[in-house]
PDB file of all heavy atoms in Angstrom:
ATOM      1  N   PHE A  66     271.806 -32.839 220.003  1.00 98.00           N
ATOM      2  CA  PHE A  66     271.714 -31.380 219.778  1.00 98.00           C
ATOM      3  C   PHE A  66     273.002 -30.861 219.133  1.00 98.00           C
ATOM      4  O   PHE A  66     273.002 -30.008 218.257  1.00 98.00           O
ATOM      5  CB  PHE A  66     271.500 -30.602 221.113  1.00 98.00           C
ATOM      6  CG  PHE A  66     270.104 -30.843 221.712  1.00 98.00           C
ATOM      7  CD1 PHE A  66     269.971 -31.177 223.065  1.00 98.00           C
ATOM      8  CD2 PHE A  66     268.984 -30.684 220.948  1.00 98.00           C
ATOM      9  CE1 PHE A  66     268.709 -31.424 223.633  1.00 98.00           C
ATOM     10  CE2 PHE A  66     267.747 -30.873 221.509  1.00 98.00           C
ATOM     11  CZ  PHE A  66     267.602 -31.282 222.845  1.00 98.00           C
ATOM     12  N   MET A  67     274.171 -31.340 219.651  1.00 98.00           N
ATOM     13  CA  MET A  67     275.444 -30.926 219.108  1.00 98.00           C
ATOM     14  C   MET A  67     275.545 -31.276 217.578  1.00 98.00           C
ATOM     15  O   MET A  67     275.937 -30.371 216.829  1.00 98.00           O
ATOM     16  CB  MET A  67     276.564 -31.621 219.915  1.00 98.00           C
ATOM     17  CG  MET A  67     277.954 -31.126 219.580  1.00 98.00           C
ATOM     18  SD  MET A  67     278.215 -29.388 220.086  1.00 98.00           S
ATOM     19  CE  MET A  67     278.241 -29.557 221.884  1.00 98.00           C
ATOM     20  N   ARG A  68     275.145 -32.391 217.230  1.00 98.00           N
ATOM     21  CA  ARG A  68     275.279 -32.830 215.811  1.00 98.00           C
ATOM     22  C   ARG A  68     274.324 -32.051 214.922  1.00 98.00           C
ATOM     23  O   ARG A  68     274.614 -31.682 213.823  1.00 98.00           O
ATOM     24  CB  ARG A  68     275.108 -34.346 215.635  1.00 98.00           C
ATOM     25  CG  ARG A  68     275.407 -34.800 214.282  1.00 98.00           C
ATOM     26  CD  ARG A  68     275.390 -36.296 214.130  1.00 98.00           C
ATOM     27  NE  ARG A  68     275.909 -36.726 212.798  1.00 98.00           N
ATOM     28  CZ  ARG A  68     275.360 -37.705 212.088  1.00 98.00           C
ATOM     29  NH1 ARG A  68     274.311 -38.324 212.569  1.00 98.00           N
ATOM     30  NH2 ARG A  68     275.884 -37.990 210.946  1.00 98.00           N
ATOM     31  N   LEU A  69     273.085 -31.801 215.477  1.00 98.00           N
ATOM     32  CA  LEU A  69     272.144 -31.001 214.711  1.00 98.00           C
ATOM     33  C   LEU A  69     272.667 -29.664 214.356  1.00 98.00           C
ATOM     34  O   LEU A  69     272.530 -29.113 213.265  1.00 98.00           O
ATOM     35  CB  LEU A  69     270.795 -30.847 215.496  1.00 98.00           C
ATOM     36  CG  LEU A  69     269.790 -31.972 215.429  1.00 98.00           C
ATOM     37  CD1 LEU A  69     268.636 -31.714 216.376  1.00 98.00           C
ATOM     38  CD2 LEU A  69     269.228 -32.137 213.984  1.00 98.00           C
ATOM     39  N   PHE A  70     273.352 -29.030 215.328  1.00 98.00           N
ATOM     40  CA  PHE A  70     273.891 -27.664 215.151  1.00 98.00           C
ATOM     41  C   PHE A  70     275.015 -27.733 214.069  1.00 98.00           C
ATOM     42  O   PHE A  70     275.009 -26.912 213.145  1.00 98.00           O
ATOM     43  CB  PHE A  70     274.461 -27.189 216.444  1.00 98.00           C
ATOM     44  CG  PHE A  70     274.964 -25.771 216.453  1.00 98.00           C
ATOM     45  CD1 PHE A  70     274.230 -24.736 215.895  1.00 98.00           C
ATOM     46  CD2 PHE A  70     276.178 -25.399 217.041  1.00 98.00           C
ATOM     47  CE1 PHE A  70     274.654 -23.414 215.871  1.00 98.00           C
ATOM     48  CE2 PHE A  70     276.616 -24.102 217.063  1.00 98.00           C
ATOM     49  CZ  PHE A  70     275.843 -23.120 216.470  1.00 98.00           C
ATOM     50  N   PHE A  71     275.878 -28.742 214.163  1.00 98.00           N
ATOM     51  CA  PHE A  71     276.919 -28.896 213.108  1.00 98.00           C
ATOM     52  C   PHE A  71     276.309 -29.056 211.737  1.00 98.00           C
ATOM     53  O   PHE A  71     276.693 -28.333 210.782  1.00 98.00           O
ATOM     54  CB  PHE A  71     277.766 -30.150 213.452  1.00 98.00           C
ATOM     55  CG  PHE A  71     278.648 -30.672 212.385  1.00 98.00           C
ATOM     56  CD1 PHE A  71     279.560 -29.833 211.715  1.00 98.00           C
ATOM     57  CD2 PHE A  71     278.623 -32.037 212.085  1.00 98.00           C
ATOM     58  CE1 PHE A  71     280.391 -30.313 210.716  1.00 98.00           C
ATOM     59  CE2 PHE A  71     279.455 -32.529 211.104  1.00 98.00           C
ATOM     60  CZ  PHE A  71     280.335 -31.701 210.397  1.00 98.00           C
ATOM     61  N   HIS A  72     275.325 -29.942 211.580  1.00 98.00           N
ATOM     62  CA  HIS A  72     274.677 -30.105 210.268  1.00 98.00           C
ATOM     63  C   HIS A  72     273.941 -28.933 209.831  1.00 98.00           C
ATOM     64  O   HIS A  72     273.866 -28.661 208.597  1.00 98.00           O
ATOM     65  CB  HIS A  72     273.850 -31.374 210.310  1.00 98.00           C
ATOM     66  CG  HIS A  72     274.644 -32.658 210.168  1.00 98.00           C
ATOM     67  ND1 HIS A  72     274.371 -33.625 209.283  1.00 98.00           N
ATOM     68  CD2 HIS A  72     275.709 -33.109 210.880  1.00 98.00           C
ATOM     69  CE1 HIS A  72     275.240 -34.660 209.387  1.00 98.00           C
ATOM     70  NE2 HIS A  72     276.066 -34.308 210.389  1.00 98.00           N
ATOM     71  N   ASP A  73     273.315 -28.207 210.727  1.00 98.00           N
ATOM     72  CA  ASP A  73     272.614 -27.005 210.387  1.00 98.00           C
ATOM     73  C   ASP A  73     273.646 -25.978 209.764  1.00 98.00           C
ATOM     74  O   ASP A  73     273.489 -25.467 208.667  1.00 98.00           O
ATOM     75  CB  ASP A  73     271.897 -26.368 211.493  1.00 98.00           C
ATOM     76  CG  ASP A  73     271.072 -25.138 211.053  1.00 98.00           C
ATOM     77  OD1 ASP A  73     270.585 -25.193 209.932  1.00 98.00           O
ATOM     78  OD2 ASP A  73     270.959 -24.198 211.822  1.00 98.00           O
ATOM     79  N   CYS A  74     274.700 -25.722 210.483  1.00 98.00           N
ATOM     80  CA  CYS A  74     275.680 -24.676 210.086  1.00 98.00           C
ATOM     81  C   CYS A  74     276.395 -25.028 208.835  1.00 98.00           C
ATOM     82  O   CYS A  74     276.720 -24.099 208.060  1.00 98.00           O
ATOM     83  CB  CYS A  74     276.640 -24.434 211.240  1.00 98.00           C
ATOM     84  SG  CYS A  74     275.838 -23.655 212.669  1.00 98.00           S
ATOM     85  N   PHE A  75     276.662 -26.246 208.535  1.00 98.00           N
ATOM     86  CA  PHE A  75     277.430 -26.593 207.383  1.00 98.00           C
ATOM     87  C   PHE A  75     276.650 -26.640 206.098  1.00 98.00           C
ATOM     88  O   PHE A  75     277.203 -26.703 205.008  1.00 98.00           O
ATOM     89  CB  PHE A  75     278.173 -27.982 207.593  1.00 98.00           C
ATOM     90  CG  PHE A  75     279.567 -27.801 208.076  1.00 98.00           C
ATOM     91  CD1 PHE A  75     279.823 -27.173 209.309  1.00 98.00           C
ATOM     92  CD2 PHE A  75     280.681 -28.343 207.426  1.00 98.00           C
ATOM     93  CE1 PHE A  75     281.078 -26.996 209.788  1.00 98.00           C
ATOM     94  CE2 PHE A  75     281.970 -28.206 207.863  1.00 98.00           C
ATOM     95  CZ  PHE A  75     282.190 -27.522 209.090  1.00 98.00           C
ATOM     96  N   VAL A  76     275.301 -26.589 206.169  1.00 98.00           N
ATOM     97  CA  VAL A  76     274.452 -26.610 205.010  1.00 98.00           C
ATOM     98  C   VAL A  76     273.714 -25.260 204.967  1.00 98.00           C
ATOM     99  O   VAL A  76     272.822 -25.058 205.790  1.00 98.00           O
ATOM    100  CB  VAL A  76     273.509 -27.801 205.000  1.00 98.00           C
ATOM    101  CG1 VAL A  76     272.704 -27.813 203.722  1.00 98.00           C
ATOM    102  CG2 VAL A  76     274.319 -29.075 205.190  1.00 98.00           C
ATOM    103  N   ARG A  77     274.056 -24.417 204.055  1.00 97.00           N
ATOM    104  CA  ARG A  77     273.528 -23.060 203.879  1.00 97.00           C
ATOM    105  C   ARG A  77     273.447 -22.228 205.178  1.00 97.00           C
ATOM    106  O   ARG A  77     272.549 -21.444 205.425  1.00 97.00           O
ATOM    107  CB  ARG A  77     272.218 -22.985 203.073  1.00 97.00           C
ATOM    108  CG  ARG A  77     270.950 -23.587 203.582  1.00 97.00           C
ATOM    109  CD  ARG A  77     269.756 -23.245 202.680  1.00 97.00           C
ATOM    110  NE  ARG A  77     269.898 -23.402 201.262  1.00 97.00           N
ATOM    111  CZ  ARG A  77     269.784 -22.406 200.312  1.00 97.00           C
ATOM    112  NH1 ARG A  77     269.391 -21.232 200.701  1.00 97.00           N
ATOM    113  NH2 ARG A  77     269.975 -22.687 199.060  1.00 97.00           N
ATOM    114  N   GLY A  78     274.505 -22.362 206.019  1.00 98.00           N
ATOM    115  CA  GLY A  78     274.688 -21.616 207.210  1.00 98.00           C
ATOM    116  C   GLY A  78     273.695 -21.994 208.326  1.00 98.00           C
ATOM    117  O   GLY A  78     272.822 -22.813 208.150  1.00 98.00           O
ATOM    118  N   CYS A  79     273.969 -21.379 209.548  1.00 98.00           N
ATOM    119  CA  CYS A  79     273.110 -21.700 210.698  1.00 98.00           C
ATOM    120  C   CYS A  79     271.787 -21.011 210.578  1.00 98.00           C
ATOM    121  O   CYS A  79     271.579 -19.938 211.118  1.00 98.00           O
ATOM    122  CB  CYS A  79     273.829 -21.256 211.963  1.00 98.00           C
ATOM    123  SG  CYS A  79     275.595 -21.620 212.050  1.00 98.00           S
ATOM    124  N   ASP A  80     270.848 -21.635 209.838  1.00 98.00           N
ATOM    125  CA  ASP A  80     269.580 -20.996 209.517  1.00 98.00           C
ATOM    126  C   ASP A  80     268.409 -21.940 209.839  1.00 98.00           C
ATOM    127  O   ASP A  80     267.266 -21.697 209.336  1.00 98.00           O
ATOM    128  CB  ASP A  80     269.516 -20.585 208.068  1.00 98.00           C
ATOM    129  CG  ASP A  80     269.545 -21.825 207.150  1.00 98.00           C
ATOM    130  OD1 ASP A  80     269.863 -22.942 207.631  1.00 98.00           O
ATOM    131  OD2 ASP A  80     269.145 -21.715 205.971  1.00 98.00           O
TER     132      ASP A  80
END
Side-chain angles (χ1 to χ4, degrees):
F66 292 130
M67 189 64 72
R68 189 173 188 221
L69 276 175
F70 186 46
F71 166 52
H72 281 232
D73 185 35
C74 293
F75 266 57
V76 184
R77 65 172 48 241
C79 317
D80 67 344

